[in-house]
Amino acid sequence: MEADTASAAEVPQQPEALMTHPSTFMSRSNAVMLLSFAVALLGVSLFFLLSGRSFRRKRGSTVLLVGPSDAGKSAILSALAYHYVLPSHTSLQPNGARILVPFDDPLSSTATSLRVVDVPGHPRLRAKFSEYMDDTRAIVFVVDAGTVARNGAAVAENLHIILRALSSLPPSRATHAPQLFIHAHKSDLLSASSAAAPTEQTLQLAKDRTKTILERELEKRRKTFVKGVSVEGLGGGDHGGEDAGGMTGLECSTEDQTFQFDKWEGPGGIGEIEFSAGWVRCIREDGITTSETEKPWGEDGLKELKESLGKLA
């Protein structure tokens, strides 16, 4: 009896800390699981939030109006933003205004606010477009359809700068590269009569004429560039051959590399250039609109351009 009592006394007692009820372990396990789930959910939410902001930033919210001087960029900006056009002079600095697209339903839930910037076309100022490229969603290259036949070389020089800038965008911007529109402006000057608004045939003539002349002039520049000769308008260090790394900005998917807008290898794909034609009704210095005197029509001269910009919403 005494031996049994001694043996029982020798059995070590377990510490109270180890005598935890099983339900306590389950509570702690559930707490850890809930905490892990909350952290994971927070991480996923932050990922999608930052990704959405990054997408919007890359896509941009600016539309650039570029092109030679006197092409009508300031008049287009005024017509798009304020619905009327005052007499203007050659711009010496960028001007901007806000618009809502699509134009036919600017109050819809899907409407998008865009900043339109008119970049001066003077040779010393036109390169300012590059300052806006990080936030640019579209570029509208404005051409005077009435004078492009005699100014084709100068217009092509300006357009070449834009094409090369787009072709030089990093691969990370390929899916969000700015859309390029070429607008044949002042198309009403090609009409046979000023008594009626330009017909669909007249607008198509303006686009075809602008496209043909610019393709011809850009092809001349491509041939000069690939021969290793310095090309006017691209800067002193922009030469053809190996110095330019083979990048001219005029690469096309044609068999002989002849430049064609429909085959241009832009950052967003082949032939991603859209043409439009139109005009605006200006107010003369005496305050009388040309629509009340020389051009008594009520049609919207920027209808095609507005439809193109409406796709950016």
Side-chain angles (χ1 to χ4, degrees), residues 183-215:
H183 182 68
H185 196 46
K186 304 182 183 180
S187 300
D188 53 309
L189 299 179
L190 302 182
S191 297
S193 173
S194 61
T199 63
E200 292 294 331
Q201 290 75 14
T202 300
L203 296 180
Q204 189 60 49
L205 172 63
K207 289 183 284 188
D208 293 342
R209 182 182 187 185
T210 299
K211 183 177 182 180
T212 299
I213 293 173
L214 291 181
E215 281 185 339

Coordinates of all heavy atoms in Angstrom, one line a residue, residues 183-215:
H183 N -7.4 64.3 -90.8 CA -8.6 65.1 -91.1 C -8.4 66.0 -92.3 O -7.5 66.9 -92.2 CB -9.1 65.8 -89.9 CG -10.4 66.6 -90.2 ND1 -11.6 66.0 -90.4 CD2 -10.6 68.0 -90.2 CE1 -12.5 66.9 -90.5 NE2 -12.0 68.1 -90.5
A184 N -9.0 65.8 -93.4 CA -8.9 66.7 -94.6 C -9.9 67.9 -94.4 O -11.1 67.8 -94.6 CB -9.3 66.0 -95.9
H185 N -9.3 69.0 -93.8 CA -10.1 70.1 -93.5 C -10.3 71.1 -94.6 O -9.6 71.0 -95.7 CB -9.4 70.8 -92.3 CG -10.3 71.8 -91.6 ND1 -11.6 71.5 -91.2 CD2 -10.1 73.1 -91.1 CE1 -12.1 72.5 -90.5 NE2 -11.3 73.5 -90.5
K186 N -11.3 72.0 -94.5 CA -11.6 73.0 -95.5 C -12.1 72.3 -96.8 O -11.8 72.8 -97.9 CB -10.5 73.9 -95.8 CG -10.0 74.7 -94.5 CD -8.8 75.6 -94.9 CE -8.3 76.3 -93.6 NZ -7.2 77.2 -93.9
S187 N -12.8 71.2 -96.6 CA -13.2 70.4 -97.8 C -14.2 71.1 -98.6 O -14.5 70.8 -99.8 CB -13.8 69.0 -97.3 OG -12.8 68.3 -96.7
D188 N -14.9 72.1 -98.0 CA -15.9 72.9 -98.7 C -15.3 73.7 -99.8 O -16.0 74.0 -100.8 CB -16.6 73.8 -97.7 CG -15.7 74.7 -97.0 OD1 -14.7 74.2 -96.4 OD2 -15.8 75.9 -97.0
L189 N -14.0 73.9 -99.8 CA -13.3 74.7 -100.9 C -13.2 73.9 -102.1 O -12.9 74.4 -103.2 CB -11.9 75.1 -100.4 CG -11.9 76.0 -99.2 CD1 -10.4 76.4 -98.8 CD2 -12.7 77.3 -99.4
L190 N -13.5 72.6 -102.1 CA -13.4 71.7 -103.3 C -14.8 71.6 -103.9 O -14.9 71.0 -105.0 CB -13.0 70.3 -102.9 CG -11.6 70.2 -102.2 CD1 -11.3 68.8 -101.9 CD2 -10.5 70.9 -103.0
S191 N -15.8 72.2 -103.3 CA -17.2 72.2 -103.9 C -17.2 73.0 -105.2 O -16.6 74.1 -105.2 CB -18.2 72.7 -102.9 OG -18.2 71.8 -101.8
A192 N -18.0 72.6 -106.1 CA -18.2 73.3 -107.3 C -19.0 74.6 -107.1 O -18.8 75.6 -107.8 CB -18.9 72.5 -108.4
S193 N -19.8 74.6 -106.1 CA -20.7 75.8 -105.8 C -20.7 76.0 -104.3 O -20.7 75.1 -103.5 CB -22.1 75.6 -106.3 OG -22.9 76.7 -105.9
S194 N -20.7 77.3 -103.9 CA -20.8 77.6 -102.5 C -22.2 77.8 -102.0 O -22.5 78.1 -100.8 CB -20.0 78.9 -102.2 OG -20.6 80.0 -102.9
A195 N -23.2 77.6 -102.9 CA -24.6 77.7 -102.6 C -25.1 76.5 -101.8 O -26.2 76.6 -101.3 CB -25.4 78.0 -103.8
A196 N -24.4 75.4 -101.8 CA -24.8 74.2 -101.1 C -23.7 73.6 -100.4 O -22.5 73.8 -100.7 CB -25.4 73.2 -102.2
A197 N -24.1 72.8 -99.3 CA -23.1 72.2 -98.5 C -22.3 71.1 -99.4 O -22.9 70.6 -100.3 CB -23.7 71.5 -97.3
P198 N -21.1 70.8 -99.0 CA -20.4 69.8 -99.8 C -21.1 68.5 -99.7 O -21.6 68.1 -98.7 CB -19.0 69.7 -99.0 CG -18.9 71.0 -98.4 CD -20.3 71.5 -98.0
T199 N -21.1 67.8 -100.8 CA -21.8 66.5 -100.9 C -20.9 65.4 -100.4 O -19.7 65.6 -100.1 CB -22.2 66.2 -102.4 OG1 -20.9 66.1 -103.2 CG2 -23.0 67.3 -103.0
E200 N -21.4 64.2 -100.3 CA -20.6 63.0 -99.9 C -19.5 62.8 -100.9 O -18.4 62.4 -100.5 CB -21.5 61.8 -99.8 CG -22.5 61.8 -98.6 CD -21.8 61.8 -97.3 OE1 -20.7 61.3 -97.2 OE2 -22.4 62.4 -96.3
Q201 N -19.7 63.0 -102.1 CA -18.7 62.9 -103.2 C -17.6 63.9 -103.0 O -16.4 63.5 -103.2 CB -19.3 63.0 -104.6 CG -20.3 61.9 -105.0 CD -21.6 62.0 -104.3 OE1 -22.0 63.0 -103.7 NE2 -22.4 60.9 -104.4
T202 N -17.9 65.1 -102.6 CA -16.9 66.1 -102.3 C -16.0 65.7 -101.2 O -14.8 65.8 -101.2 CB -17.5 67.5 -102.1 OG1 -18.3 67.9 -103.3 CG2 -16.5 68.5 -101.9
L203 N -16.7 65.2 -100.1 CA -15.9 64.8 -98.9 C -15.0 63.6 -99.2 O -13.9 63.6 -98.8 CB -16.9 64.5 -97.8 CG -17.7 65.6 -97.2 CD1 -18.6 65.2 -96.1 CD2 -16.9 66.8 -96.7
Q204 N -15.5 62.7 -100.0 CA -14.7 61.6 -100.4 C -13.5 62.0 -101.3 O -12.4 61.5 -101.1 CB -15.6 60.5 -101.1 CG -14.9 59.2 -101.3 CD -14.4 58.5 -100.0 OE1 -15.2 58.4 -99.1 NE2 -13.2 58.1 -100.0
L205 N -13.8 63.0 -102.1 CA -12.7 63.5 -103.0 C -11.6 64.1 -102.1 O -10.4 63.9 -102.4 CB -13.3 64.5 -103.9 CG -12.3 65.3 -104.8 CD1 -11.5 64.4 -105.7 CD2 -13.0 66.4 -105.6
A206 N -12.0 64.8 -101.1 CA -11.0 65.5 -100.2 C -10.2 64.4 -99.5 O -8.9 64.6 -99.4 CB -11.7 66.4 -99.2
K207 N -10.8 63.4 -99.0 CA -10.0 62.3 -98.4 C -9.1 61.6 -99.3 O -7.9 61.3 -99.0 CB -11.0 61.3 -97.7 CG -11.7 61.9 -96.5 CD -12.6 60.9 -95.8 CE -13.9 60.7 -96.6 NZ -14.9 59.9 -95.8
D208 N -9.6 61.2 -100.5 CA -8.8 60.5 -101.5 C -7.6 61.3 -101.9 O -6.5 60.8 -102.1 CB -9.7 60.1 -102.7 CG -10.7 59.0 -102.3 OD1 -10.6 58.4 -101.2 OD2 -11.7 58.9 -103.1
R209 N -7.9 62.6 -102.2 CA -6.9 63.5 -102.6 C -5.8 63.6 -101.6 O -4.6 63.5 -101.9 CB -7.5 64.9 -103.0 CG -6.5 65.9 -103.5 CD -7.3 67.2 -103.8 NE -6.5 68.2 -104.4 CZ -6.9 69.4 -104.7 NH1 -8.1 69.8 -104.3 NH2 -6.1 70.3 -105.3
T210 N -6.2 63.9 -100.4 CA -5.2 64.0 -99.3 C -4.4 62.7 -99.1 O -3.2 62.8 -98.9 CB -5.9 64.4 -98.0 OG1 -6.6 65.6 -98.1 CG2 -5.0 64.5 -96.8
K211 N -5.1 61.6 -99.1 CA -4.4 60.3 -98.9 C -3.4 60.0 -100.0 O -2.2 59.6 -99.7 CB -5.4 59.2 -98.8 CG -4.9 57.8 -98.6 CD -6.0 56.8 -98.4 CE -5.5 55.4 -98.1 NZ -6.6 54.5 -98.0
T212 N -3.8 60.3 -101.3 CA -2.9 60.0 -102.4 C -1.7 60.9 -102.4 O -0.5 60.4 -102.6 CB -3.6 60.2 -103.7 OG1 -4.8 59.3 -103.8 CG2 -2.7 59.9 -104.9
I213 N -1.8 62.2 -102.1 CA -0.7 63.1 -102.1 C 0.3 62.8 -101.0 O 1.5 62.8 -101.2 CB -1.2 64.5 -102.0 CG1 -2.0 64.9 -103.3 CG2 -0.1 65.5 -101.8 CD1 -2.6 66.3 -103.3
L214 N -0.3 62.5 -99.8 CA 0.6 62.2 -98.7 C 1.3 60.9 -98.8 O 2.5 60.8 -98.4 CB -0.2 62.3 -97.4 CG -0.7 63.6 -97.0 CD1 -1.5 63.5 -95.7 CD2 0.4 64.6 -96.8
E215 N 0.7 59.9 -99.4 CA 1.3 58.6 -99.6 C 2.5 58.8 -100.6 O 3.6 58.2 -100.4 CB 0.4 57.6 -100.2 CG -0.5 57.0 -99.1 CD -1.4 55.9 -99.7 OE1 -1.7 55.9 -100.9 OE2 -1.9 55.0 -98.9

